[in-house]
Each structure stands twice: as structure tokens, then as C-alpha cells.
């Protein structure tokens, strides 16, 4: 029996990883989550999980490990717990970096004590804008000189990466780092500022689909189910001390393209309207730079290939949101 811990396992990505692990025999999975970023009420999420899996959970902050995080020993730890979202991080400015780094170091100590393999979910934000937007693992991490919540988030993730990789060299921590790119799909919440659920929610409500600026920003959207599969590949086949990009270059499009695709798939009559993102999220909101993934390392070393095209991700997200009760739909759409 493989004993697996997922921190943040009731979040958007964590919930999909939990589903995947529970569908595989031989895993006992424990989730530790404080529910601060969960897209769904806990009872709804639990109802959507596959039945028959070996699964326990605790509602807790990672600072409190009085219960031993559910078990005295783990074989595998996926550390996903984090503040998330371009708008979701804004209220936490000044505490973002310390939260990210502190939690990463806490999980490193747990992994070292257990002799567990640790997968740390970082962010493509550590690249800044990359080189013409394109990002390879060999490129240096870059943080914007501008003072912003987004810069603090990127700095926190980069500092956590460096600390964990140093612990790998100095204390034998078995760690792999994952940098996911523009994760999207069913169950994502627009509350944190994520664009696909916002667009789908607006289209279904027949209100204007608000595109920030001219909408020419490019994003390589990667289906959450492909990312969850990638996390398992990194853990089971990756190298300790290595960094892996997970992203789908085939899904590259502009934000304006995405808005038109959502409108067409939903059959909505909503107009597509340009706005300033700060008019919605306040003066401290900052738009992301282009970050386009080079996932060659994950493909060549792990055999990971993202399989879900962007259009299918949109179709599945629309179908999921259409089927939700109204009160949950209002929670997810983020406007």
C-alpha cells in the first residue's frame, strides 16, 4: 500500500489529482486542506469523488501538525497547498511569500522525517515573461522589479524552489519541482481571477464577456486532468532535484480567441467587451506576462504528453457549470 499525502487536495488541481489517485489501486490517500481555496463546498466535492477509494482527510492549516497530518509516515507527498489566482492573492499582499516558503519548508521536514518523495507544485510565474514568452527549465528565474502581489507570489515560489533543491543537496530530500502553465478545466473557480470560468459564467448568464485590454495576450491552456497525470508522472518517473514544466503548447491562443470560443460553444448572445482589469479587481491588480511552455523535458524523460485539446477543455467546463445548482454556479463563476 502506497501512503500518499496531498496538501491542498480539495483545491481545483488537488481535487483532480485526488480523483486520479483514488482510481488507481494500491494508494491510501490523505488530504490536508484548510478549505481556503476550495472551489466547491466540501460535501459537493466529496460526492463527486470515485467511490471505493482508500481515502481520509483533515481540515487543517499546515502550521498545525498536531495530528501528524493524518498519518505518522508517508511514501509520497504532493504539496499543492498555496494561495492562488491573480485576484485571489491580492488580499494577502505582504504575507504571500512567507506563506509559500514557510509551508514548503514545513512539508520538506515532513518528507525528510518520513523518507518520503516530495513533489512541489511551483508556478510558471517564476520565469517572469521568459524569452519572447517561451520558457524552458534551464532559463533563470526572474521576478519583476515592480512591487506587486504577483511579484511577491513569484518570489515566494522561486525562493521555495531554491530552498527545496538546496535541501535535496544538503540533507538528501527527495524532491521534484513542477511548474504548471495556465491550468484550466471543470471545477475551476473564477473567484481568484481565472479566465475560463469567468468567461463561461458570463456567457451562460448572457452578460458581457469582459476581456482585459485588447485581448491579444497569449496563453497555452493546459487541461487540469493532463496536469494531474503529469504530477503522477513526475513523482513516479522523475528525477530528484529536477524541475519539470507541464504545459500544452498546442493549446496556445489569445484571450480574445478564448472569449470567442466560449461564446460559440455556449451559444451565448453576450457581447465581448474590453475592460481594464483594475476596474474589476482594484488598483493593485497586475496582468500576467506571456509564459509559453517548453515541456520537452517532461515529454522526453517522463513520457508525459498532454492529450486534451483546448476546445474539449472549454466544452467540458461549460457542461460542468451548466449542470451545477444555481448557488454553486454563482460561487464558481467569479463575477
Amino acid at each position: 500500500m502506497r501512503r500518499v499525502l496531498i496538501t491542498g487536495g480539495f483545491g481545483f488541481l488537488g481535487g483532480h489529482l485526488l480523483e486520479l489517485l483514488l482510481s488507481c489501486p494500491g494508494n491510501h490517500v490523505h488530504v490536508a486542506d484548510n478549505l481556503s481555496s476550495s472551489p466547491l463546498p466540501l460535501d459537493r466535492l466529496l460526492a463527486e469523488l470515485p467511490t471505493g477509494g482508500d481515502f481520509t482527510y483533515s481540515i487543517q492549516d499546515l502550521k498545525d501538525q498536531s495530528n501528524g497530518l493524518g498519518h505518522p509516515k508517508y511514501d509520497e507527498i504532493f504539496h499543492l497547498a498555496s494561495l492562488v489566482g491573480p485576484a485571489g492573492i491580492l488580499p494577502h499582499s505582504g504575507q504571500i511569500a512567507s506563506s509559500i516558503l514557510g509551508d514548503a519548508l514545513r512539508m520538506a521536514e515532513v518528507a525528510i522525517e518520513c523518507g518520503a518523495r516530495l513533489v512541489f507544485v511551483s508556478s510558471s510565474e517564476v520565469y517572469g515573461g521568459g524569452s519572447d514568452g517561451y520558457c524552458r527549465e534551464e532559463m533563470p528565474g526572474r521576478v519583476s522589479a515592480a512591487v506587486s502581489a504577483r511579484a511577491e507570489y513569484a518570489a515566494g515560489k522561486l525562493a521555495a524552489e531554491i530552498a527545496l533543491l538546496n535541501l535535496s543537496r544538503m540533507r538528501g530530500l527527495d524532491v521534484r519541482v513542477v511548474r504548471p502553465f495556465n491550468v484550466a478545466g471543470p471545477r475551476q473557480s473564477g473567484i481568484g481571477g481565472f479566465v475560463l470560468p469567468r468567461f463561461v459564467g458570463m456567457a451562460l448568464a448572457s452578460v458581457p464577456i469582459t476581456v482585459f485590454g485588447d485581448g491579444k495576450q497569449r496563453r497555452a491552456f493546459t487541461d487540469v486532468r493532463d496536469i494531474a497525470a503529469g504530477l503522477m508522472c513526475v513523482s513516479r518517473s522523475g528525477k530528484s532535484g529536477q524541475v519539470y514544466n507541464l504545459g500544452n503548447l498546442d493549446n496556445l491562443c489569445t484571450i480574445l480567441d478564448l472569449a470567442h470560443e466560449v461564446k460559440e460553444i455556449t451559444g451565448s448572445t453576450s457581447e465581448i467587451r474590453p475592460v481594464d482589469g483594475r476596474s474589476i479587481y482594484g488598483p493593485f491588480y497586475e496582468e500576467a506576462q506571456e509564459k509559453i511552455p517548453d515541456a520537452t523535458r517532461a515529454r522526453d524523460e517522463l513520457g508525459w504528453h498532454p492529450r486534451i485539446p483546448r476546445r474539449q477543455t472549454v466544452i467540458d467546463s461549460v457542461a460542468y457549470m451548466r449542470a451545477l445548482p444555481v448557488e454553486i454556479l454563482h460561487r464558481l463563476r467569479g463575477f
Side-chain angles (χ1 to χ4, degrees):
M1 177 69 69
R2 187 190 300 267
R3 294 158 297 187
V4 184
L5 171 65
I6 310 176
T7 70
F10 290 144
F12 168 52
L13 175 53
H16 283 276
L17 176 62
L18 174 59
E19 280 188 326
L20 185 57
L21 285 165
L22 291 180
S23 70
C24 302
N27 294 317
H28 168 78
V29 185
H30 183 80
V31 168
D33 199 312
N34 65 7
L35 303 182
S36 62
S37 300
S38 298
L40 296 174
L42 182 57
D43 58 348
R44 173 80 188 198
L45 180 58
L46 293 175
E48 293 187 8
L49 292 174
T51 58
D54 190 355
F55 162 63
T56 56
Y57 68 90
S58 54
I59 306 305
Q60 66 179 105
D61 193 282
L62 295 183
K63 296 183 184 68
D64 175 18
Q65 296 184 18
S66 57
N67 70 339
L69 290 167
H71 196 280
K73 187 173 176 62
Y74 288 101
D75 303 301
E76 195 172 27
I77 298 172
F78 294 90
H79 177 43
L80 282 69
S82 179
L83 299 168
V84 293
I89 61 175
L90 293 177
H92 305 282
S93 295
Q95 301 174 327
I96 301 167
S98 63
S99 172
I100 291 171
L101 180 57
D103 282 349
L105 292 176
R106 290 182 189 97
M107 297 319 302
E109 291 299 325
V110 172
I112 290 170
E113 183 178 347
C114 291
R117 179 182 306 140
L118 175 64
V119 177
F120 173 61
V121 178
S122 183
S123 170
S124 59
E125 287 289 327
V126 303
Y127 289 110
S131 177
D132 296 325
Y134 287 85
C135 304
R136 300 181 306 278
E137 292 94 343
E138 297 85 359
M139 296 172 60
R142 298 192 306 177
V143 176
S144 170
V147 175
S148 67
R150 188 181 286 275
E152 185 185 353
Y153 175 82
K157 288 290 189 180
L158 185 56
E161 285 190 16
I162 294 168
L164 294 177
L165 294 175
N166 276 336
L167 286 171
S168 176
R169 296 192 303 170
M170 301 301 292
R171 296 180 58 192
L173 173 66
D174 185 355
V175 63
R176 297 109 165 92
V177 172
V178 173
R179 297 170 179 166
F181 285 72
N182 299 112
V183 188
R187 285 208 300 265
Q188 190 171 34
S189 171
I191 293 174
F194 295 106
V195 65
L196 180 56
R198 282 188 58 251
F199 282 2
V200 173
M202 291 169 177
L204 294 179
S206 298
V207 301
I209 299 172
T210 53
V211 171
F212 296 168
D214 61 11
K216 293 181 180 178
Q217 313 93 311
R218 295 182 298 169
R219 301 288 184 266
F221 291 99
T222 312
D223 194 282
V224 64
R225 293 159 290 190
D226 280 330
I227 295 291
L231 291 177
M232 286 189 62
C233 283
V234 169
S235 182
R236 307 288 165 89
S237 303
K239 298 176 182 177
S240 182
Q242 189 67 285
V243 178
Y244 295 94
N245 286 343
L246 295 181
N248 191 340
L249 188 58
D250 290 341
N251 284 347
L252 185 65
C253 69
T254 69
I255 295 298
L256 190 58
D257 289 338
L258 180 68
H260 283 290
E261 191 168 41
V262 168
K263 180 174 178 178
E264 181 253 315
I265 288 171
T266 57
S268 176
T269 58
S270 297
E271 66 169 311
I272 297 173
R273 179 182 298 174
V275 300
D276 183 343
R278 290 171 294 186
S279 69
I280 296 175
Y281 294 124
F284 300 118
Y285 175 80
E286 184 180 45
E287 183 70 0
Q289 299 184 59
E290 290 189 347
K291 301 181 297 296
I292 301 168
D294 180 339
T296 303
R297 178 177 292 170
R299 181 193 66 205
D300 292 350
E301 291 188 13
L302 312 177
W304 176 77
H305 297 276
R307 303 182 185 281
I308 303 174
R310 184 188 66 249
R311 185 174 181 85
Q312 190 62 52
T313 300
V314 176
I315 289 170
D316 292 348
S317 298
V318 169
Y320 183 82
M321 292 181 75
R322 272 191 166 138
L324 287 174
V326 171
E327 64 275 12
I328 299 179
L329 175 61
H330 287 171
R331 173 175 174 162
L332 279 190
R333 65 188 191 181
F335 70 93

